[in-house]
C-alpha cells in the first residue's frame, strides 16, 4: 500500500527517537488517511491491538479503538483491573503473553518505565499512549494540527504555559523535528525535567531551532503563533489541586495573554480542559481555539502510527 519509512522502529515510545523525515512521513500518511479513509478500510484486517490502561481516558481510548476498527482490525481494552498485571504479574510476563495473542500493544500508564519495560520484552510493537514523563501521540497530533492550520511549521513558535509535565516534555521534543521554536513558561517549582530540556536543546541546536524557558507567560507568548496549555493538576495529582491553583496564579491563558501573540495565533489544549483554571472560557471557546480539530486529529494521526507499526 505504501513504502514504510519507519522500518527501523519497532515501537513508538518518544518523539525524541524519530527523525524529522520520519515525522514528516507520518504527517503525510495521516493527511492521506484523513482525506481518503476509504482507501485504508482493510489495511489492518485481522490485526489486533491490546490497549492497557492504568489511567482513565476519553480521547486515547476512543481514538485508538475507533482507529483500529476503521482500519479493519480489532482493539481490546484492558484496564489494570482486567489483567493480572494489576495483581502482581510481572511486566515481563505480561509482555511475553500478550505478544503471543496480539499484533501490537498500546499502554497508557503512570510510570514511564512500565512502557519501556513492555517494549523491551514484547516481540510486537509497543505504543506509548501516555506516561507521567511523555505523551508522544498527543504532541505528534498537535504539530500535525499546526501544519494543517498554517500550511507549514517551519520557523513558527509554540508557547507552552503551565505545568512542565509530560505534555510539555513531548512538545519540546517535537518542536525541533518540525522546525518550530518552543518557549515554555512555568512557575519555578514546576519546571520541565532538566534532562528532557537538555536533550531537547541538543535536538534544537542541530535543527536550527530554539528551546527557551521563561518565568513569565507574557515573555513566552509574545509574538507566538501557537499558545498551548494543559491542566494544572494531572491524573494522580488530585491531592495537590488546591496548592497548584495557588502556585499557578497568573498562568491562566486569557484573552489578554492571547492578545500578545501573533495576530493569527491559535490556542491549543490536549484536553480535558478546566475552563476558569488554566484557560479562560473566552479563549477555550473563542476564535483562537482549535481544540476540537486537535482532538479529532488524534484519530487520524494514530491511524497513521498504527499503519506504520503494524502493517509489516
Amino acid at each position: 500500500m505504501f513504502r514504510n519509512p519507519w522500518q527501523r522502529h519497532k515501537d513508538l515510545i518518544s518523539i525524541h527517537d524519530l527523525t524529522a523525515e520520519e515525522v514528516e512521513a507520518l504527517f503525510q500518511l495521516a493527511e492521506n488517511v484523513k482525506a481518503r479513509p476509504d482507501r485504508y478500510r482493510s489495511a489492518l484486517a485481522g490485526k489486533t491491538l491490546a490497549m492497557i490502561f492504568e489511567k482513565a481516558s476519553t480521547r486515547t481510548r476512543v481514538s485508538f479503538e475507533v482507529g483500529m476498527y476503521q482500519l479493519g482490525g480489532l482493539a481490546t481494552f484492558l484496564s489494570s483491573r482486567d489483567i493480572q498485571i494489576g495483581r502482581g504479574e510481572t511486566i515481563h510476563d505480561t509482555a511475553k503473553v500478550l505478544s503471543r495473542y496480539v499484533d501490537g500493544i498500546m499502554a497508557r500508564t503512570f510510570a514511564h518505565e512500565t512502557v519501556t519495560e513492555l517494549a523491551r520484552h514484547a516481540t510486537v510493537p509497543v505504543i506509548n499512549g501516555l506516561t507521567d514523563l511523555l505523551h508522544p501521540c498527543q504532541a505528534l497530533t498537535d504539530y500535525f494540527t499546526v501544519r494543517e492550520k498554517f500550511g507549514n511549521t517551519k520557523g513558527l513558535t509554540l508557547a507552552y504555559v503551565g505545568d512542565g509535565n509530560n505534555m510539555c516534555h513531548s512538545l519540546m521534543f517535537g518542536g525541533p523535528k518540525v522546525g518550530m521554536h518552543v518557549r515554555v513558561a512555568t512557575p519555578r517549582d514546576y519546571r520541565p525535567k532538566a534532562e528532557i530540556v537538555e536533550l531537547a536543546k541538543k535536538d534544537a541546536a542541530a535543527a536550527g531551532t530554539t528551546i527557551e524557558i521563561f518565568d513569565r507567560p507574557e515573555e513566552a507568548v509574545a509574538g507566538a503563533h501557537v499558545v498551548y496549555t494543559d491542566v494544572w493538576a494531572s491524573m494522580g495529582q488530585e491531592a495537590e489541586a488546591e496548592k497548584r491553583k495557588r502556585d499557578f496564579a497568573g498562568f491562566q491563558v486569557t484573552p489578554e495573554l492571547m492578545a500578545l501573540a501573533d495576530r493569527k495565533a491559535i490556542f491549543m489544549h490536549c484536553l480535558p480542559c478546566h475552563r476558569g483554571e488554566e484557560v479562560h472560557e473566552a479563549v477555550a471557546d473563542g476564535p483562537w481555539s482549535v481544540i476540537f480539530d486537535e482532538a479529532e486529529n488524534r484519530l487520524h494521526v494514530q491511524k497513521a502510527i498504527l499503519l506504520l507499526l503494524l502493517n509489516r
Side-chain angles (χ1 to χ4, degrees):
M1 180 181 293
F2 54 85
R3 184 185 66 83
N4 193 333
W6 278 27
Q7 289 292 347
R8 73 188 187 98
H9 296 289
K10 178 175 82 72
D11 312 302
L12 174 59
I13 306 300
S14 171
I15 300 174
H16 180 63
D17 300 330
L18 302 175
T19 65
E21 292 73 23
E22 287 165 343
V23 171
E24 175 58 24
L26 169 68
F27 288 174
Q28 289 180 14
L29 180 56
E31 190 176 73
N32 292 337
V33 168
K34 183 175 182 177
R36 292 292 306 277
D38 54 299
R39 293 183 60 188
Y40 301 88
R41 288 290 182 193
S42 59
L44 295 184
K47 299 281 187 176
T48 53
L49 178 73
M51 305 190 304
I52 298 174
F53 283 86
E54 291 181 355
K55 292 187 175 186
S57 168
T58 299
R59 281 148 292 278
T60 299
R61 177 176 178 178
V62 175
S63 56
F64 270 110
E65 197 163 316
V66 170
M68 278 298 289
Y69 172 78
Q70 291 182 352
L71 294 171
L74 173 71
T76 300
F77 174 81
L78 303 168
S79 76
S80 56
R81 297 183 301 275
D82 297 323
I83 56 177
Q84 297 300 321
I85 198 171
R87 300 178 62 232
E89 183 171 47
T90 65
I91 296 170
H92 169 278
D93 289 0
T94 299
K96 293 294 185 184
V97 169
L98 288 178
S99 295
R100 302 294 182 100
Y101 296 146
V102 301
D103 299 287
I105 301 168
M106 188 282 296
R108 181 178 170 93
T109 68
F110 288 95
H112 187 69
E113 292 72 21
T114 300
V115 169
T116 57
E117 192 172 350
L118 278 169
R120 186 162 57 249
H121 298 297
T123 57
V124 298
V126 172
I127 299 168
N128 178 1
L130 174 145
T131 68
D132 283 346
L133 185 69
L134 298 173
H135 198 354
C137 293
Q138 179 67 59
L140 286 167
T141 295
D142 298 331
Y143 285 117
F144 175 77
T145 305
V146 173
R147 181 179 184 266
E148 195 175 59
K149 296 301 179 183
F150 288 93
N152 199 355
T153 54
K154 306 295 184 184
L156 299 182
T157 297
L158 180 146
Y160 176 90
V161 176
D163 188 17
N165 59 12
N166 52 3
M167 199 62 255
C168 177
H169 293 159
S170 285
L171 288 168
M172 287 194 299
F173 277 157
K177 309 297 182 180
V178 299
M180 286 182 65
H181 308 287
V182 179
R183 302 176 189 159
V184 174
T186 73
R188 283 196 171 272
D189 291 341
Y190 297 91
R191 289 277 194 261
K193 288 185 178 295
E195 59 269 31
I196 301 292
V197 175
E198 183 180 357
L199 286 172
K201 283 188 172 182
K202 285 181 180 178
D203 286 348
T209 63
T210 55
I211 305 289
E212 299 177 278
I213 310 296
F214 295 93
D215 292 325
R216 299 176 60 246
E218 294 80 5
E219 294 175 299
V221 170
H225 304 89
V226 182
V227 179
Y228 199 115
T229 193
D230 192 7
V231 293
W232 291 339
S234 298
M235 280 176 284
Q237 299 171 335
E238 289 81 5
E240 306 171 23
E242 291 306 313
K243 180 179 186 300
R244 283 172 170 262
K245 284 181 184 179
R246 296 191 298 272
D247 292 346
F248 282 91
F251 281 79
Q252 185 186 85
V253 178
T254 62
E256 292 75 19
L257 188 63
M258 290 298 303
L260 300 177
D262 184 85
R263 64 184 181 85
K264 295 183 178 179
I266 60 174
F267 170 73
M268 304 183 81
H269 194 303
C270 55
L271 301 181
C273 71
H274 296 162
R275 290 168 173 80
E277 291 184 16
E278 75 275 4
V279 59
H280 193 285
E281 63 181 358
V283 174
D285 300 316
W288 305 278
S289 181
V290 299
I291 60 177
F292 297 115
D293 294 335
E294 180 186 0
E296 178 197 331
N297 281 338
R298 287 288 300 275
L299 174 65
H300 310 303
V301 171
Q302 285 164 188
K303 285 168 74 173
I305 291 169
L306 290 166
L307 285 167
L308 290 167
L309 292 179
L310 273 61
N311 190 24
R312 297 180 179 181

